[in-house]
Amino acid sequence: MWKRNAHAADTSAPPGAAAEQLASATDSLDRPLHQLRISVTDRCNFRCTYCMPKRAFGSRYRFLKHSEVLSFEEIARVTAIFAELGVEKVRLTGGEPTLRRDLPRLVEKLARIRGLKEINLTTNGSRLTELAVPLRDAGLSRVTVSLDSLDDDTFRAMNDVDFPVGRVLDGLEAARAAGFPKIKVNSVVKRGLNDSAVPEIAEFFRWTGINLRFIEFMDVGTTNRWQMQDVIPAEEILALVSRRFPIEPLAHQYRGEVAERWRYADGAGELGVIASVTRPFCGDCSRIRMSADGRLYTCLFGIASHDLRGPLRTGASDACLSDTIGRLWARRSDQYSESRGGEARAAPAPQKVEMSFLGG
Ligand code: SAM
Ligand code: SF4
Ligand code: SF4
């Protein structure tokens, strides 16, 4: 089911070195392994109410200790093994990934891995004014900024730490000035919180070249008290936009693309919706996730995980780690969102992993 490539683990190859043709691992439903999401920290400077509500992530919450978190060297080693197994895109996430000290140093290491085509970042944008240039210089390919509202009061209430929206917009501008191509903005829509402002945020990003993606509020984790009535289905989001600005569907660009893409009929650009609740896309899901403490999850909603940090720190060889990962992926049969059905109920899974632990 999966093949190794002897050269991909050579982290000394220069950035952009030509990749050998890699054979992807495939899972039990014939889905290739193409994308790796790496959470570099479980900490965050925001307390978005739908992700890290203060009542659950307060002063008594036990975050990972420094010694429990994978080092940059460990992350790079594992990533090189993933590249060998067919991973082409890596996304750095968190918690808030820009809180991890010296993040550009990690990006530099990842940029040397042969076979990786993209190293992307999802961030709340709060530290981009300082970090956009160093990250770009280190070899980061793309940036996605999460921004749920343009209204300062609503934004401050949603991040729940009184962070002003203007500083995130400054961060977005810094990313643009640093020359990042195809910047994306993720906007989670929750009923009663920010749904009425959908057309306004769409209007703001028209003609900017920034690709706005609306995300349905998902039943990840247990602390956000998810309920179906808080979800604004993609269909409703699109109707809210298209009443103001006519839109036309666009074809998928690649297998495993999670966003449904649309374009404004007047040429003002693209937008997307990620409808993981009402129009799930498990059939093409080619992502694996690694938490900051080195646990692998084959599904965002997975309870089961596989520890890599133990073997990494007790001398396992690259071949052994590769074998473990390849077998894990070959056994994979996850399709949580499709099997729980469009009329989603939060699955009764008391230990579902939190979004802030896996990074989306
Ligand atoms: N802190 C970074 C950020 O906010 O971009 C990266 C981690 S965050 C967990 C990744 C993405 O997950 C963000 O775009 C966030 O809006 C989204 N997210 C978090 N909880 C969610 C939920 N319950 N439903 C849908 N999206 C969610
Ligand atoms: Fe932090 Fe991102 Fe979660 Fe908001 S969505 S609490 S910024 S990890
Ligand atoms: Fe992939 Fe799991 Fe999400 Fe389905 S529910 S798309 S398998 S992460």
Side-chain angles (χ1 to χ4, degrees):
M1 295 284 256
W2 52 280
K3 288 191 199 134
R4 305 184 60 218
N5 177 301
H7 303 290
D10 173 10
T11 56
S12 63
E20 309 268 331
Q21 190 52 49
L22 303 177
S24 281
T26 51
D27 72 5
S28 71
L29 301 173
D30 206 30
R31 296 171 296 190
L33 171 55
H34 277 160
Q35 302 179 40
L36 167 66
R37 284 194 164 225
I38 303 172
S39 170
V40 296
T41 177
D42 60 338
R43 292 167 196 262
C44 188
N45 52 343
F46 285 11
R47 285 293 178 273
C48 302
T49 49
Y50 56 76
C51 177
M52 293 181 85
K54 276 182 178 165
R55 63 176 181 283
F57 293 88
S59 55
R60 299 210 339 245
Y61 184 80
R62 185 190 167 281
F63 288 100
L64 293 170
K65 288 189 273 192
H66 183 67
S67 60
E68 293 173 311
V69 172
L70 292 193
S71 68
F72 288 169
E73 289 67 28
E74 288 169 330
I75 293 174
R77 181 174 168 212
V78 171
T79 306
I81 293 168
F82 271 107
E84 193 180 330
L85 289 167
V87 164
E88 296 175 337
K89 286 190 192 176
V90 166
R91 180 167 293 279
L92 302 177
T93 178
E96 175 46 40
T98 59
L99 294 189
R100 181 82 188 253
R101 197 183 309 154
D102 286 340
L103 188 67
R105 199 166 63 78
L106 173 63
V107 173
E108 235 169 63
K109 283 183 182 297
L110 299 181
R112 288 199 204 103
I113 295 174
R114 203 176 287 196
L116 282 192
K117 294 184 178 154
E118 284 182 27
I119 302 159
N120 301 330
L121 174 77
T122 300
T123 171
N124 61 24
S126 60
R127 299 204 57 214
L128 272 183
T129 44
E130 311 108 85
L131 283 171
V133 170
L135 286 169
R136 183 80 185 125
D137 289 350
L140 191 73
S141 316
R142 295 182 191 188
V143 175
T144 299
V145 175
S146 303
L147 177 62
D148 303 323
S149 176
L150 293 168
D151 175 75
D152 196 46
D153 291 339
T154 310
F155 187 75
R156 286 176 195 254
M158 285 183 84
N159 64 54
D160 211 12
V161 293
D162 211 27
F163 198 90
V165 71
R167 282 178 58 195
V168 176
L169 294 174
D170 290 346
L172 255 179
E173 197 42 54
R176 212 155 39 162
F180 282 105
K182 298 190 177 169
I183 297 171
K184 291 179 186 157
V185 165
N186 279 353
S187 199
V188 175
V189 187
K190 193 174 169 199
R191 193 176 299 281
L193 257 183
N194 60 343
D195 49 325
S196 59
V198 162
E200 181 198 341
I201 195 162
E203 179 168 25
F204 186 85
F205 287 108
R206 279 163 47 83
W207 303 108
T208 61
I210 289 176
N211 186 351
L212 173 67
R213 288 129 34 108
F214 291 109
I215 305 182
E216 288 179 349
F217 174 41
M218 286 189 257
D219 53 324
V220 186
T222 50
T223 59
N224 63 13
R225 298 184 178 161
W226 180 92
Q227 41 182 2
M228 187 62 199
Q229 54 265 42
D230 291 335
V231 177
I232 307 282
E235 205 171 321
E236 202 175 321
I237 296 173
L238 290 166
L240 285 167
V241 175
S242 63
R243 243 176 259 147
R244 283 267 289 278
F245 311 109
I247 52 174
E248 300 161 351
L250 287 169
H252 273 299
Q253 290 167 303
Y254 55 87
R255 184 178 175 195
E257 189 175 29
V258 297
E260 296 171 25
R261 298 165 56 237
W262 299 75
R263 76 168 161 232
Y264 293 105
D266 60 4
E270 260 189 44
L271 82 157
V273 281
I274 301 180
S276 38
V277 177
T278 62
R279 301 205 279 250
F281 35 76
C282 301
D284 281 337
C285 180
S286 59
R287 294 177 174 185
I288 195 161
R289 294 167 164 90
M290 184 164 72
S291 59
D293 60 348
R295 302 197 70 85
L296 292 181
Y297 291 82
T298 55
C299 177
L300 179 56
F301 297 87
I303 305 165
S305 63
H306 191 96
D307 174 46
L308 270 197
R309 189 186 64 198
L312 260 175
R313 293 187 177 175
T314 50
S317 66
D318 284 3
C320 172
L321 292 170
S322 174
D323 193 59
T324 302
I325 297 166
R327 284 175 198 282
L328 180 70
W329 191 262
R331 278 200 308 273
R332 175 185 191 245
S333 59
D334 304 286
Q335 37 187 342
Y336 170 87
S337 292
E338 280 182 5
S339 49
R340 68 108 140 77
E343 290 306 311
R345 318 150 297 252
Q351 294 131 25
K352 274 200 307 182
V353 182
E354 292 299 317
M355 191 70 140
S356 58
F357 192 71
L358 280 189

